[in-house]
Amino acid sequence: MTSESTKPGPGKPKDSGRDNIFTAPGTTSPFRFDEQVAAVFPDMIQRSVPGYSFIISGIAGLAQKFIQPNTQAYDLGCSLGAAALAMSRGSQHTNIPIIGIDNSSAMVERCRLFIEGYRHKNPIQIHCQNIQETTISQASMVVLNFTLQFIEQSERQAIIEHIYDGLEPGGALILSEKIVASDPAVNELLIKLHHDFKRANGYSDLEISQKRTALENVLVPETLETHHLRLKNAGFKVSEVWHQQFNFCSILAIK
Ligand SMILES: Nc1ncnc2c1ncn2[C@@H]1O[C@H](C[S@+](CC[C@H]([NH3+])C(=O)[O-])CC(=O)[O-])[C@@H](O)[C@H]1O
Ligand SMILES: O=C(O)C(=O)Cc1ccccc1
């Protein structure tokens, strides 16, 4: 069993492989979190999201500050549970229920196995369900780590409001998202820098372009202004960017 205190981030389950999903020409069907993606997810997210490991470590640090006794913590769109494990690791308290939610059964199955492989000091439960149908209560910390971007835009405000309602005063929402820069030229530049990052991590131009096509209308990014406004409208007192690398951003919002 691996100790959560010595391994940051998700590491790699023994059977996880390299992401070759978009290697073959003609692979452009819409992106889905199916078994094929779940099987290579640690490699895919690590090589595709600038700052991913830093954000996971940062979530552990934020958990140290925000998780309070007699509350719960949520990892919404948990995939393999990296943020749930980070919250467990970072929390100063034990016996805090940490609830991971994902609507992909392939992810949930692997997440449960993955979490079993780590020693964790807080109980982690993983549920296969839609975030839109998740009850949130007595929360001191909620994480949406690159999840809201995959949800219909028309449903995003209600989700943020529901999270706000379930948070205790002083509780934190960590919202990480791929963003669109307001200035079109800067936006193009950030997209280019992101593609350079992917190329430097071993993805070919064909893989980058086919995945870009597959993500159209599936991952719908918004501007930072839209996120801050949505958080403000939900009632959050504070929303500040605590990490940004190119067009990948993480916001800390406090109730
Ligand atoms: N409506 C929904 N309800 C529940 N789950 C959903 C929904 N829509 C999408 N998902 C799930 O949200 C996750 C998004 S990945 C999160 C990474 C993780 N947070 C990490 O810190 O490693 C982000 C990425 O791959 O860029 C997937 O597992 C989906 O099945
Ligand atoms: O790969 C990309 O281009 C992304 O924008 C990030 C990403 C990472 C994992 C799944 C889907 C999108």
Side-chain angles (χ1 to χ4, degrees):
M1 183 176 280
T2 313
S3 158
E4 64 176 348
S5 58
T6 54
K7 277 199 110 186
K12 286 187 180 182
K14 281 197 183 61
D15 65 341
S16 95
R18 188 165 171 89
D19 168 21
N20 289 318
I21 292 174
F22 293 96
T23 314
T27 324
T28 49
S29 49
F31 187 88
R32 289 176 53 226
F33 289 97
D34 56 13
E35 173 52 30
Q36 195 192 14
V37 167
V40 298
F41 191 72
D43 180 69
M44 173 185 280
I45 196 129
Q46 191 64 43
R47 290 201 288 135
S48 305
V49 174
Y52 176 75
S53 294
F54 180 92
I55 292 171
I56 293 297
S57 305
I59 287 170
L62 290 160
Q64 190 180 350
K65 173 162 173 51
F66 285 103
I67 292 184
Q68 300 296 328
N70 304 313
T71 66
Q72 313 197 95
Y74 291 83
D75 179 3
L76 305 177
C78 60
S79 297
L80 300 184
L85 284 165
M87 286 192 280
S88 174
R89 184 166 71 243
S91 168
Q92 300 192 60
H93 310 286
T94 52
N95 299 319
I96 303 292
I98 299 180
I99 299 144
I101 303 290
D102 207 289
N103 67 358
S104 153
S105 55
M107 283 292 187
V108 165
E109 266 171 46
R110 282 178 178 269
C111 182
R112 288 182 179 140
L113 289 174
F114 190 50
I115 280 174
E116 271 174 26
Y118 280 81
R119 194 176 300 123
H120 41 89
K121 62 187 183 200
N122 290 284
I124 303 179
Q125 311 155 26
I126 305 297
H127 301 290
C128 191
Q129 89 188 176
N130 285 318
I131 289 164
Q132 294 90 324
E133 286 145 24
T134 300
T135 304
I136 296 166
S137 65
Q138 287 178 287
S140 52
M141 184 162 176
V142 177
V143 171
L144 272 171
N145 203 34
F146 302 107
T147 302
L148 197 67
Q149 59 194 16
F150 289 103
I151 291 175
E152 281 287 332
Q153 277 176 295
S154 60
E155 299 181 36
R156 294 181 187 180
Q157 183 69 41
I159 290 173
I160 296 296
E161 285 173 11
H162 186 61
I163 292 170
Y164 180 86
D165 291 342
L167 276 165
E168 299 289 324
L173 166 63
I174 311 304
L175 173 63
S176 310
E177 289 274 294
K178 187 176 192 175
I179 55 137
V180 181
S182 314
D183 180 88
V186 173
N187 192 48
E188 284 311 306
L189 177 60
L190 297 185
I191 290 170
K192 180 198 173 294
L193 291 170
H194 175 228
H195 290 173
D196 291 346
F197 166 90
K198 290 182 75 164
R199 213 172 289 110
N201 284 335
Y203 287 114
S204 67
D205 289 339
L206 180 68
E207 284 176 289
I208 293 169
S209 113
Q210 293 197 138
K211 188 172 180 195
R212 189 180 189 176
T213 305
L215 285 171
E216 269 167 28
N217 304 316
V218 175
L219 188 172
V220 180
E222 296 174 311
T223 62
L224 268 175
E225 289 74 10
T226 299
H227 288 297
H228 285 305
L229 186 62
R230 185 177 288 131
L231 290 161
K232 187 168 188 257
N233 289 341
F236 283 93
K237 261 199 316 225
V238 169
S239 72
E240 294 278 359
V241 170
W242 66 278
H243 175 80
Q244 181 165 357
Q245 215 169 316
F246 308 138
N247 45 343
F248 289 78
C249 207
S250 190
I251 297 170
L252 165 64
I254 304 173
K255 178 163 174 174

